[in-house]
Amino acid sequence: MSRSRRTIPEELLLLALDPATGTTAQPQSLDLGLAGAQLVELALAGRIAPDGDRIAVVLPRPTGDPTLDSALELLRRRGSPVRAVNWIGGPRLGLRQTYLSHLERCGMVHAIENQMCGVLPTTRYQATDTAVSRQIRARLDTAIRTGTPPDARTAALAALAHAVGLGKHLYPGNEGRSSRSRLRDLIRHDPMGGLVAHAVMDVQNGVAGQAAARRQAQQQQQQVTERTPATVGPAPAAAAAGAGKGVAAHGGGVRVRSRSLSH
C-alpha cells in the first residue's frame, strides 16, 4: 500500500487529537471508529467487500500496513462473512494507543510525559506536522461548505467522524450546528463508509449487546426444549378420572380426593 497518504484510521485519529490539550476527543467511541476505519481502508484497498450487513474477505493478500494486515488476518480466520456490528463491537483493547504509537514513529506526533495530580503518569500527544491535519480538516470543510459529493475516502472519513461524535469537537457551539448537520448528511455518499458508520452507532446504542443476549436466550431455550421429554398420546384414564373428582394440595405434595361408587 502506498504511504503517500495517510490511512483513514490515521486521519480519524488526527482529527480527534486536540492541539490545545494533547488528548483525543471522544476516546471511548473513537476506539470503535478506528476499528470501523480499518474496515473502510481494507475495502478501499480491495481486500474486503460488503455482503449485506456483513463483511467478506475477497483478497487475503497483505497490504503492507502491519495494523491493517492484522485486522485482515483476523477477518480471514473467521472463515465466513462477519457482521460489521459484531466486528466493531468486539474487543479492541489498545487500538487507539497502537495508532498513536504508529503516528509517533512516523514523526506525525510526539509524546509528552506528564503526571496527573503530581502522582499518576500521563502521556499527551502533540501534532508535529500540523499541515497534514489542516489538509484533512480542509477536505471535510470543503465537502460541507460546497455540498459537492466528496470522494469515497473523504465521505467515509466524514461518516466516521459523525458516528464517533467528533462533530461537536470539529464544529462546536450553536454556530457549528449547520456544519454538524451537513457532516452527518455526508454519510450517504459512500456505501461502505455508511455501513460501517451505522454499525459504530449501533454498537454505541447497545444493538450488538442486545443481539448477543437474544441469541444466548434462544440457545438456552433450545437446550431446555431438547432436555424436556415430549408428551405423546392421550392422558391416562386414571389421571382424567382424578381430574374429574378434584385435586387438593396438601403440604408439598398432591392428595387426590376419592369417593366410593355405588352400583
Side-chain angles (χ1 to χ4, degrees):
M1 175 180 291
S2 171
R3 298 303 296 157
S4 60
R5 60 185 177 190
R6 306 255 64 87
T7 64
I8 292 179
E10 294 166 359
E11 291 186 334
L12 184 65
L13 186 52
L14 287 171
L15 277 179
L17 194 62
D18 191 320
T21 65
T23 60
T24 52
Q26 305 297 107
Q28 299 303 319
S29 57
L30 183 59
D31 289 339
L32 302 175
L34 289 172
Q38 287 184 316
L39 294 180
V40 176
E41 190 66 48
L42 287 171
L44 289 173
R47 297 325 194 255
I48 64 175
D51 182 5
D53 67 342
R54 298 174 182 268
I55 303 299
V57 175
V58 295
L59 181 63
R61 189 178 66 206
T63 65
D65 182 300
T67 309
L68 290 176
D69 289 342
S70 176
L72 179 62
E73 176 62 15
L74 289 175
L75 286 167
R76 187 193 65 80
R77 289 179 184 176
R78 294 292 184 95
S80 60
V82 58
R83 291 185 68 213
V85 69
N86 290 341
W87 170 262
I88 291 170
R92 293 290 178 273
L93 295 178
L95 189 56
R96 179 161 33 104
Q97 185 57 51
T98 296
Y99 272 105
L100 282 170
S101 299
H102 169 71
L103 289 177
E104 185 179 16
R105 289 193 299 272
C106 293
M108 298 295 300
V109 302
H110 69 276
I112 301 174
E113 304 296 335
N114 208 332
Q115 289 183 331
M116 182 181 296
C117 302
V119 179
L120 299 175
T122 62
T123 304
R124 300 178 183 274
Y125 293 86
Q126 295 287 345
T128 55
D129 190 349
T130 56
V132 173
S133 298
R134 288 197 301 270
Q135 291 169 2
I136 297 170
R137 175 66 181 270
R139 282 164 44 210
L140 288 186
D141 290 344
T142 299
I144 287 173
R145 184 178 65 254
T146 64
T148 303
D151 61 273
R153 182 172 294 273
T154 302
L157 179 62
L160 287 163
H162 166 71
V164 303
L166 287 184
K168 58 187 177 183
H169 166 70
L170 298 171
Y171 308 103
N174 288 332
E175 63 276 14
R177 183 178 302 172
S178 61
S179 293
R180 292 195 298 272
S181 177
R182 287 192 288 270
L183 179 70
R184 179 195 62 216
D185 292 341
L186 291 176
I187 198 171
R188 70 181 188 275
H189 290 296
D190 178 58
M192 185 65 182
L195 168 66
V196 170
H198 282 298
V200 168
M201 291 184 284
D202 283 346
V203 172
Q204 293 181 83
N205 293 331
V207 171
Q210 293 170 10
R214 285 195 300 270
R215 287 195 300 272
Q216 183 177 6
Q218 291 170 354
Q219 291 171 356
Q220 291 174 345
Q221 180 61 41
Q222 182 178 1
Q223 292 171 358
V224 170
T225 302
E226 291 172 350
R227 289 197 300 264
T228 304
T231 302
V232 180
K245 294 178 175 60
V247 179
H250 180 66
V254 176
R255 181 180 64 200
V256 179
R257 295 195 300 271
S258 62
R259 60 176 180 273
S260 300
L261 296 177
S262 58
H263 298 280

